[in-house]
Amino acid sequence: MAEHHQQLRRTDDMKNFFHENGPSTSKVLMVATLLPVGGILLLLAGLSLIGSLIGLAIAAPLFLIFSPVLVPAAFLIAGSIAGFLTSGAFGITGLSSLSWIATYIRGSRGSMSQGLDPVKWPLPDTAVSMEQKIQNRSQGGGRISEGGREQDGGKSKTQEGGKSKTQEGGNKTVG
């Protein structure tokens, strides 16, 4: 009797488990709809594979017999296609180059020179600082060592941003 009670309880537990965790109605309808569609598509894929194999079995001897004609014809067709594609690419490249040149000549040069202005502004400052370094070297007779420091006897000259700083004492450095 106790065993019968346990079996009934297990059966009830299983029913509750499937009832609570079972698939929803929409999932059941989706599977019921997609199963026949998937089966039909699988059948069509098998038929097309069988048809391709039969066609290859029939055509293989013909390919072998006519290969002295087919291989050069395939090369000719491939070369023609490559030539047409190459000429089209060259034509598009030429037209785009001419279009760019025409746009450049028509007056878009102003916008290009404005685009280069941020590159030009540090150049005069660099030229001035280099000129000062050369003048300091030629006047002082000293040599320029690491970091733009010029050492002349007990004095140390350092250039920062076009300005010279001089410090007395041989062991002191600015850095």
Side-chain angles (χ1 to χ4, degrees), residues 57-141:
I58 293 172
L62 295 175
F63 282 143
L64 288 175
I65 292 171
F66 292 111
S67 64
V69 175
L70 293 177
V71 171
F75 282 138
L76 181 69
I77 290 171
S80 300
I81 291 172
F84 283 125
L85 292 176
T86 304
S87 67
F90 285 154
I92 289 173
T93 304
L95 285 175
S96 64
S97 298
L98 289 175
S99 172
W100 182 83
I101 290 171
T103 305
Y104 181 75
I105 289 174
R106 264 190 256 146
S108 65
R109 284 183 286 191
S111 65
M112 183 175 274
S113 65
Q114 290 171 354
L116 294 177
D117 283 343
V119 175
K120 291 180 182 177
W121 69 267
L123 293 178
D125 294 339
T126 306
V128 168
S129 67
M130 288 300 290
E131 182 181 347
Q132 287 178 355
K133 282 183 183 180
I134 292 170
Q135 285 178 354
N136 290 338
R137 180 186 253 182
S138 65
Q139 290 175 358

